[in-house]
Amino acid sequence: MANHNVTTRLRNLWNGFLGLWIQRIENEHPEIAYQNSIQSMTQKYTTLKSAAGRVISRRDGLREQVSNAERELRTVTQQLQAAVATAQDDLAVVLIQKKNQLAEGLDQLRPELATAEADADTMKNNLIEVQGDIKNLKAEKDRMVGLLQSAEARIQIQSSLEGLSLDAEVQALSGVREHIKGRIAEANLGAELRSTDLDVRLKELNRSSAAVTARAELAAMKAAAAGQTAQAAGGDRTL
């Protein structure tokens, strides 16, 4: 008993693992699951079609029997009327018995035919329904697989954008930016240096000009003082 329980549990465990493995495969490859379902429904359709063929064949056979019996009954009825009209009573008795047998047979055949026709209609409706399910499933397969492929592509793009390290690209651009800024700064520095050198020279020139002006002013002051002294000395000699 214990061994049987262990065996049962192991079998259930194995079936569980197998089911999970199959489910994972089908989730990763849904087209396989859809195709398996389509094949299963196609097999069901084939089996149902074969059964429907037998039902329809029986219906057609009953239709033919009923049609033959009705035609024979009409013939016997006409013969009976003729026998009665010609006073052939012995023949009329036989025809009446035959007519009653045919009518009784028709009473049995007609319900069987009605049942066979209902069964045939049911089978045809089932075939049409299964055929429609297969068509819808094929369309769903194409649509869902397309949606999955689109979603996976979007996820892949998002993962690439989120997971892809752009540090190298950013660093490369950063280096290029710094290089460009450095070259611009170098160019600006040359201009600044030239501007600074010009300013220094202008300042030196201004200082030189101020010194020259001061010396000229000093010389003029000395000349004026000398002139005044000379005038003063001349005045003294006149006196």
Side-chain angles (χ1 to χ4, degrees), residues 144-165:
M144 296 303 291
V145 170
L147 289 174
L148 177 63
Q149 292 174 348
S150 177
E152 288 178 345
R154 290 169 57 194
I155 291 173
Q156 185 176 3
I157 292 174
Q158 292 173 0
S159 298
S160 298
L161 293 176
E162 294 174 358
L164 180 62
S165 176

Side-chain angles (χ1 to χ4, degrees), residues 113-153:
L113 176 59
T115 301
E117 287 180 341
D119 291 341
D121 290 340
T122 300
M123 295 296 287
K124 287 191 297 183
N125 291 334
N126 290 337
L127 283 173
I128 294 173
E129 182 178 354
V130 173
Q131 194 175 37
D133 290 340
I134 293 174
K135 182 178 180 180
N136 293 335
L137 192 58
K138 288 180 178 179
E140 180 183 346
K141 171 194 171 185
D142 295 338
R143 184 176 67 257
M144 296 303 291
V145 170
L147 289 174
L148 177 63
Q149 292 174 348
S150 177
E152 288 178 345

Side-chain angles (χ1 to χ4, degrees), residues 63-73 102 106:
R63 281 180 176 177
E64 185 176 1
Q65 291 180 37
V66 170
S67 178
N68 292 336
E70 288 176 344
R71 183 172 56 254
E72 188 176 1
L73 180 60
L102 289 171
L106 279 171

Side-chain angles (χ1 to χ4, degrees), residues 68-116:
N68 292 336
E70 288 176 344
R71 183 172 56 254
E72 188 176 1
L73 180 60
R74 288 192 298 271
T75 301
V76 170
T77 301
Q78 292 173 356
Q79 291 174 347
L80 177 59
Q81 292 173 351
V84 171
T86 57
Q88 301 182 58
D89 293 345
D90 55 343
L91 184 58
V93 171
V94 173
L95 291 173
I96 289 173
Q97 292 176 348
K98 187 174 182 180
K99 181 178 74 70
N100 291 336
Q101 290 176 352
L102 289 171
E104 184 179 355
L106 279 171
D107 289 340
Q108 294 177 354
L109 286 174
R110 282 174 177 143
E112 292 184 15
L113 176 59
T115 301

Side-chain angles (χ1 to χ4, degrees), residues 47-67:
T47 303
L48 193 62
K49 188 176 181 180
S50 177
R54 293 191 295 271
V55 171
I56 292 174
S57 177
R58 179 173 180 272
R59 180 206 63 186
D60 292 343
L62 287 171
R63 281 180 176 177
E64 185 176 1
Q65 291 180 37
V66 170
S67 178

Side-chain angles (χ1 to χ4, degrees), residues 166-181:
L166 299 178
D167 293 341
E169 288 78 1
V170 172
Q171 290 177 1
L173 288 176
S174 177
V176 170
R177 294 189 186 104
E178 292 299 326
H179 175 71
I180 293 173
K181 291 179 180 179

Side-chain angles (χ1 to χ4, degrees), residues 215-234:
R215 284 195 292 271
E217 185 177 353
L218 177 60
M221 291 176 64
K222 288 181 177 181
Q228 292 176 0
T229 302
Q231 289 178 358

